[in-house]
Amino acid sequence: MTMVWFGRYALLLGLASASWAVLGGWAANRIGNVRWQESVRGGVLALTLCTTTAVFALEYLLMTGDYAVRAVYNHSDQALPLPYKLGALWGGDSGSVLFWGWILSLYAGWLAWRSWSREPRLVSTAVPLVGSLSIFFLLLSNFVVNPFWSVAGHPSNGVGLDPLLQNLVMTIHPPAMYTGLIGLTVPAAYTVAALWTRTPWAEWIGSVRRWTLFSWGCLSVALILGGMWAYMDLGWGGYWAWDPVENAALLPWLTATAFLHAVQLEQKRGIFRGWTASLSMGTFLLTLVATYITRSGVLKNSVHSFTGTGVGPYFVVLFWLSLLAFAGVMWSRREMLADRRPLNSGLTKEGVYLFINMTFAMVAGIVLVGTFFPVISKALVHQSVVLNVSFFNISTAPLFVLVAVLMGAAPAIRWHGIRVGPTLRQLRVPLAGGALTSAVFWLAGSRTLMDGAGAGAAGFALTSMLLEYRRAAGKERSGRRARWAAVPAAVWRNRRKFGGYLVHMAYAVVMLGVIASHTQSVSVVKSLRPGQSIRVGGYRLRYEGLDTVLHAGYQTTEARLAVKTGHQRWVAQPGMSFFPGSHQPVAQISIHEGPLKDLYVVLEGTSGTGTILLDAMVNPLVTWIWAGMFIVSAGTLLALSHPTSRRKRGRAQDAAAGLSWPPGRFTATEGRDPL
Amino acid sequence: MTWILPVLLTGAVVALIGAPLVSRPDDLRHALSMAPGPITPEVLDSLLGNQFCPLCAAPLAGYAGETCQACGTRWE
């Protein structure tokens, strides 16, 4: 049996295992037979094993260069470096669907392996739901876009990977994106399972928060990595263009963010339960929308091109089936969605959380409508109207500013109600920080009202968060120890809270980077002959000549530029790479990154006489956006490392009495102590 | 490529799914936590499909006043 057939066999066996996990799980839960339930658990692990085997089989074929396999032929070639050969797995539809199914099965496997014994009733109901989605992806992988299908003949080489994807960032970005998007399936499955089994909210909402937080963190990193790739590879000097595919990934991030805040409301006050459950399920539905946008080609205005195999309609069917199922579960369990108490006032911490929720939901609504506007307008007026970047910027910017304001104000507002005097006293320093930031940005060139408000709000939020760290350190400090030395202990004591604050700081830092790079960027486009110079934003660039460099599999034409700023000198080499089989050259951008500004140089064109067309930009604070990625990762990991109250309770119970044995009816009276 | 890989994969899948169906359930914590209400002998019977000592999972003839022959625990 060849590796191709082995891969196909693993996919079929995976489908059988997933089917058992769903059908057997449903039957086992109906009849309450623990043997069957354990068998279902084994079925889920078998599913994970099979999809993992299929992925490794395809990776083996990619590495050994079996170009008779369609997925290998279409997305790899002999000259492709090894990391990109491995990454070619998700370079096309068939590999992506397999990769999606694999990540999903890893989540299901983790649920079966680790979470099942902790929350058996809930997980044994949630796992068949995740398994149902696995069946969907395995049906696609087996019968619609099988990556192990063959091409005609026996080609000795492949078409190769899209040159734009031959980038290290692009090797990391898709797995992070998939891990984040697919991970959001688990909270939705938990929510449905909890409602279905009528499990009290307090018993499951903590688990859902952790699953969502992990996925949200991955998605945040993936979104910024996507921006980084656009900035470093596409050569237009930006990182976010409100492209439909970018929006597709942003949508679930927005609702997941709202959900994480709604969970706080549930845990603290037991309010907005219907909204919280809707956000959990809605976020999952938006991951399906995201996949549909990316894979269907329904929106022709995207610069991304991942389409061509017609898997889009299947996602539409899955979306509507899931929506109907969610609506049915929520209707049948509507008594569980009743709030524990009403919201007394908007001027409370719960009011602030509610506003944050509503704001993120509004941004999601705007982005959703704006993204699908070509389809909506086509249906209404028979003309496809594409909304440009300005629509998204103008409509969402005030809302993002509002979020920063609420974020900065939240620590000063109590759960039960606002006390005006102490709140204003606590906000004095953050307000001063906001005003100072706004003034600095005004001096640097960000002079519209929205720029000033945005910079001010980000500065306000950042100062507010830093003050929270300072305040906690003050409480933690003992004796003559310096306040800063007490910060780690204070943070470690309440990792969940300070992890969240770190994420809020990341939001403010990214916001400052976005405002500065949008409003203070300068650019010069000029044709240069050897020996000529241009000046841009304090840099002087002197063009010295053209070089041709041969790489394995492609060739680059590079311009040599002597750059000078102050006492610093270096050579910048922007270029254009020519890949065999690719019609367009790929820009090799020269970026000289700094903490306050980047020099971003693109070689736009060359002539036979050695004249070049150069685009030189100075982009301020772009590195702050990338720094935001590290801060958000650190904050997410910090928050995840905090033990949940359920786990703490469980440990206390175990310490006191071993198992939580039900009293009365069934006790050992002699012999060894059973527990 | 030999047939060993698919045989191994099939064997692993069959073992993962089939082993719990034929082996004696010994995860009492799991069985009890699956129960919908208070644990009565009847509930435990239905969970385990048979009558076993909750401590060591050895077969018991009945619960009330029964002593497990394997571990010596007396159950009432």
Side-chain angles (χ1 to χ4, degrees):
Chain A
M1 180 181 266
T2 63
M3 191 56 88
V4 175
W5 281 102
F6 180 50
R8 292 182 189 179
Y9 177 68
L11 282 178
L12 281 171
L13 209 54
L15 180 60
S17 303
S19 304
W20 170 244
V22 174
L23 298 174
W26 177 79
N29 286 335
R30 292 277 295 179
I31 61 175
N33 187 306
V34 73
R35 291 184 187 201
W36 278 38
Q37 276 159 343
E38 285 299 319
S39 172
V40 165
R41 193 179 180 183
V44 176
L45 295 174
L47 160 69
T48 311
L49 178 67
C50 290
T51 51
T52 305
T53 304
V55 165
F56 275 85
L58 189 56
E59 286 290 16
Y60 174 84
L61 294 168
L62 282 163
M63 280 193 291
T64 54
D66 190 338
Y67 299 107
V69 179
R70 190 182 296 179
V72 181
Y73 175 77
N74 285 334
H75 306 291
S76 179
D77 62 22
Q78 289 174 358
L80 201 63
L82 184 64
Y84 301 143
K85 277 190 178 173
L86 292 171
L89 175 72
W90 48 81
D93 266 356
S94 60
S96 291
V97 170
L98 171 63
F99 192 62
W100 187 291
W102 178 51
I103 302 273
L104 186 65
S105 77
L106 290 180
Y107 279 118
W110 182 267
L111 281 173
W113 182 42
R114 296 304 301 264
S115 306
W116 192 296
S117 46
R118 284 205 300 266
E119 300 164 306
R121 287 190 66 197
L122 202 56
V123 176
S124 64
T125 310
V127 158
L129 297 171
V130 179
S132 307
L133 198 62
S134 288
I135 289 180
F136 171 80
F137 279 100
L138 283 165
L139 281 171
L140 286 183
S141 271
N142 273 291
F143 306 114
V144 182
V145 281
N146 192 322
F148 297 101
W149 279 342
S150 304
V151 292
H154 296 281
S156 59
N157 202 356
V159 173
L161 188 65
D162 185 339
L164 285 173
L165 301 181
Q166 294 183 35
N167 176 299
L168 196 60
V169 172
M170 212 47 190
T171 310
I172 309 166
H173 162 74
M177 182 66 77
Y178 281 89
T179 308
L181 283 177
I182 301 163
L184 292 169
T185 306
V186 179
Y190 254 89
T191 307
V192 172
L195 292 179
W196 190 250
T197 55
R198 292 192 165 87
T199 306
W201 282 76
E203 288 184 22
W204 58 274
I205 198 72
S207 300
V208 168
R209 187 192 74 85
R210 291 173 71 79
W211 277 103
T212 310
L213 188 58
F214 172 75
S215 306
W216 179 91
C218 293
L219 199 51
S220 305
V221 168
L223 283 168
I224 297 181
L225 279 174
M228 195 184 274
W229 168 75
Y231 185 68
M232 292 177 170
D233 250 34
L234 296 185
W236 56 283
Y239 40 80
W240 189 267
W242 296 105
D243 182 273
V245 170
E246 292 172 348
N247 297 350
L250 181 67
L251 282 167
W253 182 88
L254 289 166
T255 50
T257 310
F259 175 68
L260 283 170
H261 290 88
V263 166
Q264 301 261 25
L265 288 174
E266 164 51 36
Q267 288 186 312
K268 295 278 186 187
R269 312 289 290 163
I271 52 178
F272 306 127
R273 288 179 161 170
W275 170 251
T276 307
S278 306
L279 277 176
S280 171
M281 299 176 196
T283 300
F284 166 71
L285 291 174
L286 285 174
T287 65
L288 296 182
V289 171
T291 316
Y292 173 66
I293 290 175
T294 312
R295 298 287 160 195
S296 68
V298 63
L299 297 163
K300 310 285 186 213
N301 52 318
S302 173
V303 298
H304 298 72
S305 176
F306 301 123
T307 60
T309 48
V311 295
Y314 298 98
F315 282 93
V316 176
V317 173
L318 180 65
F319 174 88
W320 286 110
L321 286 177
S322 304
L323 182 63
L324 284 174
F326 290 160
V329 169
M330 285 186 73
W331 175 254
S332 66
R333 297 293 185 267
R334 55 192 178 280
E335 78 280 359
M336 280 192 70
L337 304 177
D339 291 348
R340 213 165 59 203
R341 56 173 68 96
L343 175 67
N344 293 324
S345 162
L347 288 174
T348 53
K349 189 163 277 193
E350 47 265 52
V352 172
Y353 273 73
L354 177 64
F355 286 132
I356 288 178
N357 256 270
M358 292 300 169
T359 311
F360 274 112
M362 279 168 70
V363 177
I366 291 168
V367 175
L368 185 66
V369 171
T371 305
F372 276 97
F373 202 74
V375 179
I376 297 168
S377 58
K378 181 93 175 168
L380 294 178
V381 296
H382 306 292
Q383 189 177 356
S384 184
V385 179
V386 177
L387 296 174
N388 64 15
V389 172
S390 301
F391 163 79
F392 291 100
N393 284 343
I394 292 168
S395 56
T396 60
L399 296 171
F400 282 122
V401 172
L402 178 62
V403 167
V405 171
L406 293 169
M407 194 189 285
I413 298 173
R414 292 158 163 255
W415 282 103
H416 300 286
I418 194 167
R419 285 166 57 199
V420 178
T423 301
L424 287 178
R425 268 198 299 283
Q426 194 173 331
L427 290 179
R428 270 185 315 198
V429 177
L431 284 169
L436 184 66
T437 313
S438 199
V440 169
F441 270 61
W442 187 84
L443 288 172
S446 302
R447 299 201 171 168
T448 68
L449 180 65
M450 188 48 67
D451 299 339
F460 171 69
L462 196 57
T463 317
S464 176
M465 295 302 128
L466 286 170
L467 277 182
E468 285 302 303
Y469 278 83
R470 186 175 181 275
R471 192 168 292 120
K475 285 181 191 167
E476 185 75 25
R477 185 171 59 162
S478 61
R480 301 178 64 180
R481 205 159 56 130
R483 188 189 287 264
W484 63 265
V487 170
V491 168
W492 193 250
R493 192 181 298 280
N494 198 345
R495 281 162 275 167
R496 175 176 170 177
K497 179 176 171 182
F498 287 102
Y501 284 166
L502 210 51
V503 170
H504 289 179
M505 285 161 71
Y507 180 92
V509 167
V510 169
M511 203 166 148
L512 290 174
V514 169
I515 294 168
S517 58
H518 266 79
T519 57
Q520 301 164 21
S521 180
V522 287
S523 166
V524 173
V525 181
K526 197 168 178 184
S527 170
L528 294 175
R529 288 193 301 278
Q532 288 187 318
S533 303
I534 55 168
R535 286 179 186 279
V536 55
Y539 295 89
R540 180 172 172 272
L541 290 81
R542 185 171 183 276
Y543 170 45
E544 295 188 332
L546 272 178
D547 300 314
T548 301
V549 184
L550 290 174
H551 302 274
Y554 66 98
Q555 174 184 313
T556 305
T557 301
E558 287 179 353
R560 220 174 328 110
L561 300 161
V563 185
K564 186 184 173 197
T565 177
H567 296 296
Q568 275 189 297
R569 291 163 193 270
W570 69 92
V571 176
Q573 291 172 300
M576 296 161 74
S577 292
F578 298 88
F579 288 80
S582 178
H583 304 299
Q584 284 188 325
V586 175
Q588 301 293 324
I589 300 141
S590 164
I591 306 174
H592 187 264
E593 292 187 320
L596 294 179
K597 57 185 178 181
D598 291 357
L599 174 65
Y600 187 97
V601 189
V602 187
L603 180 62
E604 298 283 5
T606 61
S607 75
T609 59
T611 304
I612 60 168
L613 182 64
L614 203 67
D615 187 357
M617 290 171 240
V618 175
N619 298 327
L621 302 194
V622 174
T623 42
W624 287 36
I625 301 170
W626 315 148
M629 179 176 71
F630 294 104
I631 302 173
V632 86
S633 307
T636 307
L637 290 174
L638 193 63
L640 279 171
S641 70
H642 192 98
T644 60
S645 54
R646 180 178 54 75
R647 279 157 76 191
K648 281 194 282 192
R649 268 204 312 277
R651 275 206 296 272
Q653 283 171 357
D654 284 351
L659 290 171
S660 51
W661 185 263
R665 303 290 298 275
F666 200 57
T667 50
T669 55
E670 289 176 20
R672 284 192 291 150
D673 179 2
L675 302 171
Chain B
M1 181 62 62
T2 65
W3 287 90
I4 199 76
L5 286 176
V7 169
L8 282 175
L9 183 65
T10 310
V13 168
V14 169
L16 282 166
I17 292 175
L21 293 173
V22 294
S23 64
R24 195 167 57 193
D26 56 1
D27 187 350
L28 181 62
R29 182 196 293 264
H30 172 84
L32 291 176
S33 56
M34 291 301 297
I39 306 297
T40 62
E42 294 75 26
V43 168
L44 200 64
D45 280 351
S46 70
L47 286 170
L48 301 179
N50 207 330
Q51 292 179 333
F52 296 102
C53 171
L55 177 61
C56 69
L60 288 174
Y63 289 111
E66 180 69 21
T67 298
C68 174
Q69 297 298 314
C71 68
T73 306
R74 180 177 173 80
W75 298 97
E76 290 185 351

